[in-house]
Amino acid sequence: MAQPIRVLLAKVGLDGHDRGVRVVARTLRDAGMDVIYSGLHRTPEEVVSAAIQEDVDILGVSLLSGVQLTVFPKIFKLLGDKGVNDMIIVAGGVMPDDDVVALKAMGVHEVMLQDTPPDAIVSTLTRLVTERGQR
Amino acid sequence: MSRYVPSAELAGRVVNGEVYAIARLISRAEAGLTEARAALAGLYARAGRAHVIGITGVPGSGKSTLVSTLAARLRTGGSKVGIIAIDPSSPYSGGSILGDRIRMTDLVNDPGIYIRSMATRGAMGGMARATMDAVDILDAGGFDTIVIETVGVGQDEVEIARASDTTVVVSAPGLGDEIQAIKAGMLEIADVHVVSKCDRSDANRTLTDLKQMLTLGALTADRPDWQVPVLGISSYTGSGFDELIDALTRHRAVALHTESGRRRRVAIAGFRLAKTAENLLLERFARASSELTPDFAERLVRHEGDPYSLANELVAASFGKEDP
């Protein structure tokens, strides 16, 4: 039997808007994934540590506060320090197009902005896990 | 991308307490990977030192919050704490929202604490199928205390008592009367009763109901070396946790050093063996019967036989195809 995809959805920093991430959590649950939600106001350290303990396939960070170019470098540094190189990192939320380019250059696998339909989120995540293969 | 790390290598790193290896091997145990079996067998040989505490109770009774405070208190005593928090999978999509961790955010920066969320994936009884494998992995990884938090259960999910050295049943105030308290099922399995939310005024009533329930059974109780305590706690104010830790420590001694404790370990081992064998048979049957079942279903619809005799025939035909 295929294993459900494991996802940690995280909110980092002072951003208090979690309606979107909850809709995504519900969408992924209904698509048969195991979803762990971090809750609000986490630090990059907490998120990375939880993602490693939970051995998630995907770490998704939702940001509506504009701090993506501060948060993601920290996340990649922490993952690198712990020797983790097989986790899929995605971003979601609202941000300028230039930042999307910068995040992808940094190693974020996919950035899904506010107009992404739920089905597209599911198919994107499923594709990323399939491409990664067994681990 | 990254290379596949063999499970045998992961097992070696588990023994050194490496979180990444522990986490990955638990995933492979959950997936039931054949490649991981030998590694898990090796770790089982090293396990058996940890105190396994099961925490169960109805949804919303405060299990996760209690586990969070309990783990923090155990840490101040120096022991490493592993937590396995189980939440339900959807019977429709198979997906889940694993939300216990959100009540344990205070613990996440402590390297002496490992928290793993697990989905039931169709397993009944409040546990997940790979829970015991995860316990062994954490045990071999040097965790002194392993806390299993079950799904929020109903009245008769009692499997946790067959998986833990010490079972704690959490009751919340305001959910029932003295008749609820003498029903069979979940309340019977407690080694320690905890009434949560004791900062609320109606908690005394629940404490009294549970204590009276225990006195009704005093003549027939099956725990010769142990008096089941009823403890009031409040995760909000922190009251009652010293008493809880004291009760857990005393019960640990009973579980490890008395004849009744030894008998319980044998019963737990027997249950685990039976359960594992059951799963092996089910898997084998599912594989062998998948092609035959539709024909048998057609015959049943046409009333060419009754459910019992056709099921018998299906079992015989399925296991006839391979060694049982």
Side-chain angles (χ1 to χ4, degrees), chain A residues 3-4 6 25 29-30 32-36 38-39 42 46 49-50 52-55 85-86 132 134-135, chain B residues 1-2 4 20 23-24 27-28 31 93 95-98 101-102 105 108-109 113-117 119 121:
Chain A
Q3 289 300 298
R6 282 175 79 81
R29 185 201 89 177
D30 290 344
M33 302 185 193
D34 284 341
V35 183
I36 300 147
S38 72
R42 307 269 64 93
E46 288 169 344
S49 163
I52 294 172
Q53 290 185 10
E54 297 286 0
D55 192 34
N85 57 9
D86 55 3
R132 186 207 59 203
Q134 206 189 20
R135 54 166 200 171
Chain B
M1 213 171 163
S2 58
Y4 182 88
Y20 172 85
R24 181 59 48 85
S27 301
R28 290 190 187 165
S93 72
S96 66
I97 302 276
L98 305 171
R101 193 177 186 103
I102 211 166
T105 48
V108 77
N109 287 321
I113 289 181
Y114 175 90
I115 309 172
R116 178 65 173 231
S117 312
R121 301 192 182 168

Side-chain angles (χ1 to χ4, degrees), chain A residues 7-25 36-48 50 59-68 71-72 75 90-95, chain B residues 102 105 108:
Chain A
V7 186
L8 173 66
L9 293 178
K11 292 291 295 183
V12 180
L14 295 176
D15 180 1
H17 301 277
D18 66 348
R19 177 88 189 160
V21 77
R22 289 193 206 192
V23 171
V24 172
I36 300 147
Y37 173 46
S38 72
L40 290 168
H41 310 313
R42 307 269 64 93
T43 65
E45 287 80 4
E46 288 169 344
V47 167
V48 166
L59 167 60
V61 181
S62 156
L63 284 163
L64 293 99
S65 58
V67 294
Q68 50 277 357
V71 164
F72 277 96
I75 287 177
V90 299
V94 182
M95 63 187 73
Chain B
I102 211 166
T105 48
V108 77

Side-chain angles (χ1 to χ4, degrees), chain B residues 149 244 302:
Chain B
E149 182 197 333
L244 176 57
R302 292 197 299 267

Side-chain angles (χ1 to χ4, degrees), chain B residues 18-38:
Chain B
E18 206 185 304
V19 174
Y20 172 85
I22 289 171
R24 181 59 48 85
L25 207 51
I26 292 177
S27 301
R28 290 190 187 165
E30 270 191 303
L33 285 191
T34 324
E35 188 265 344
R37 289 247 167 95

Side-chain angles (χ1 to χ4, degrees), chain A residues 52-53 81-84, chain B residues 5 9-26 80 111 114 137-138 140-143:
Chain A
I52 294 172
Q53 290 185 10
D81 288 349
K82 303 204 175 179
V84 179
Chain B
V5 184
E9 185 188 324
L10 286 178
R13 289 159 63 182
V14 165
V15 175
N16 294 329
E18 206 185 304
V19 174
Y20 172 85
I22 289 171
R24 181 59 48 85
L25 207 51
I26 292 177
K80 281 179 79 181
Y114 175 90
I137 292 166
L138 288 168
F143 286 84

